[in-house]
Amino acid sequence: LVGMSATRALSLMAQKKGYRGVLSVGRVQTPTLAIVVNRDVEIENFKPKDYYDITGIFSNVVAQWIPARNTDSDVVVDVEGRCISEQYAKDITENILNNNHAVVENFTTQRKKVPPLLLHSIDTLQEQANKKFGFSSKQTLDLAQSLYEKHKAVTYPRSDCQYLPISQLSEVKDVMTAISSIDGNLSELIANATNATNAANADLAVRSKVWNDKKLSAHHAIIPTDNMQVNVSEMTTDESKLYDLICRSYIAQFYPDYEYDKTSIEINTAGEIFSANI
């Protein structure tokens, strides 16, 4: 109703003033355009300004100074919490250097988990291939098309989807067996894939979030085929690089989440707070 009514009203008003055409107004297009315009105005009016950091080294911990949160003067600390006064930064540094005592005020460690990245669509494949190998978008598409048509090594490459249908779970073992026999560089990642007790190998019992019928489009994600006749030695160097990238993305779905500890530290020296994340 907003789109139809406002579009008609504004178009008629504009046409009375001599405008020829339609002024389109809608709840998606109009606010989106406003975001672009507002950002454009911000960029045009942007004025760079210097700010000053202090880095503290406490034993093996490298931490960054956090300007006093209760500093009221905008001459010293701006609204983003950055020190914009060179003299103030120098005074703080001198005060700290005259002090040989520091105390850890806060120390927290959290276990973080990162699931495997989704499988590749043509867009993500082009992005990763550019980052890793410097391939252009067209080059990646051509290589993927060759892997699909000539080598029968990967599935349909022009897909915009990063998910797989649940029905393909029955094909996982065949695909993994094919990858292992085709490329010796990947066989160790797959070895003993049915052995869930060996954390160094793939575990076919793992179910990542790529298995989702509701997220499918016309085609599923780009994955290796179970074609045992694929010959890596017949591929060009660039084709084998892209094939390896697609295979590793698929194999990663059968590994547990990456786990790591994130530690946050706050150190007080001479009344100034330094923070570090490790």
Side-chain angles (χ1 to χ4, degrees), residues 21-259:
V22 176
L23 291 179
S24 180
V25 180
R27 293 180 299 163
V28 175
Q29 178 176 292
T30 305
T32 303
L33 179 60
I35 292 172
V36 175
V37 171
N38 290 339
R39 183 58 178 162
D40 238 14
V41 172
E42 287 180 7
I43 293 172
E44 289 178 4
N45 296 326
F46 175 75
K47 295 179 180 179
K49 58 183 177 182
D50 294 331
Y51 64 93
Y52 304 89
D53 287 332
I54 303 174
T55 300
I57 302 175
F58 306 88
S59 296
N60 294 325
V61 177
V62 179
Q64 294 299 128
W65 173 54
I66 301 178
R69 299 181 180 89
N70 59 353
T71 301
D72 296 325
S73 174
D74 58 4
V75 176
V76 175
V77 180
D78 65 12
V79 294
E80 297 182 36
R82 299 175 301 190
C83 175
I84 56 176
S85 168
E86 182 179 9
Q87 187 58 51
Y88 183 71
K90 286 181 176 180
D91 292 343
I92 292 296
T93 301
E94 183 177 354
N95 189 31
I96 291 172
L97 291 175
N98 291 329
N99 178 67
N100 61 0
H101 183 68
V103 176
V104 175
E105 290 196 341
N106 288 299
F107 184 96
T108 58
T109 298
Q110 290 182 314
R111 174 56 58 96
K112 299 287 186 177
K113 291 186 177 183
V114 181
L117 296 177
L118 294 175
L119 292 168
H120 287 300
S121 65
I122 187 57
D123 289 338
T124 63
L125 185 62
Q126 289 169 324
E127 179 183 351
Q128 285 299 309
N130 179 261
K131 286 182 179 179
K132 289 181 176 292
F133 313 125
F135 294 169
S136 67
S137 294
K138 184 179 186 304
Q139 185 180 5
T140 298
L141 179 58
D142 290 343
L143 291 170
Q145 196 70 30
S146 179
L147 289 173
Y148 171 63
E149 293 181 348
K150 178 180 177 182
H151 299 283
K152 306 295 189 291
V154 302
T155 57
Y156 183 73
R158 296 174 181 266
S159 173
D160 62 352
C161 180
Q162 293 183 265
Y163 295 86
L164 293 175
I166 295 174
S167 61
Q168 281 199 8
L169 284 169
S170 61
E171 303 173 18
V172 168
K173 190 171 183 179
D174 290 340
V175 174
M176 296 287 265
T177 300
I179 297 172
S180 185
S181 62
I182 291 166
D183 193 337
N185 294 325
L186 300 174
S187 59
E188 291 186 4
L189 296 176
I190 303 172
N192 304 316
T194 57
N195 181 6
T197 62
N198 191 344
N201 300 136
D203 178 5
L204 301 192
V206 172
R207 294 289 177 267
S208 71
K209 58 184 179 182
V210 302
W211 305 98
N212 192 330
D213 289 342
K214 295 180 180 179
K215 296 291 184 72
L216 297 176
S217 57
H219 301 277
H220 59 65
I222 305 169
I223 63 171
T225 64
D226 60 0
N227 180 10
M228 298 287 289
Q229 305 305 313
V230 174
N231 191 339
V232 176
S233 64
E234 294 179 354
M235 296 180 185
T236 66
T237 300
D238 289 345
E239 285 174 344
S240 63
K241 285 181 179 179
L242 197 67
Y243 178 66
D244 181 86
L245 186 62
I246 294 170
C247 287
R248 288 178 183 273
S249 177
Y250 187 81
I251 296 170
Q253 305 307 315
F254 303 97
Y255 273 78
D257 293 349
Y258 168 62
E259 296 187 28

Side-chain angles (χ1 to χ4, degrees), residues 1-12 22-27:
L1 289 175
V2 170
M4 289 189 295
S5 300
T7 295
R8 290 172 176 173
L10 292 181
S11 295
L12 289 172
V22 176
L23 291 179
S24 180
V25 180
R27 293 180 299 163

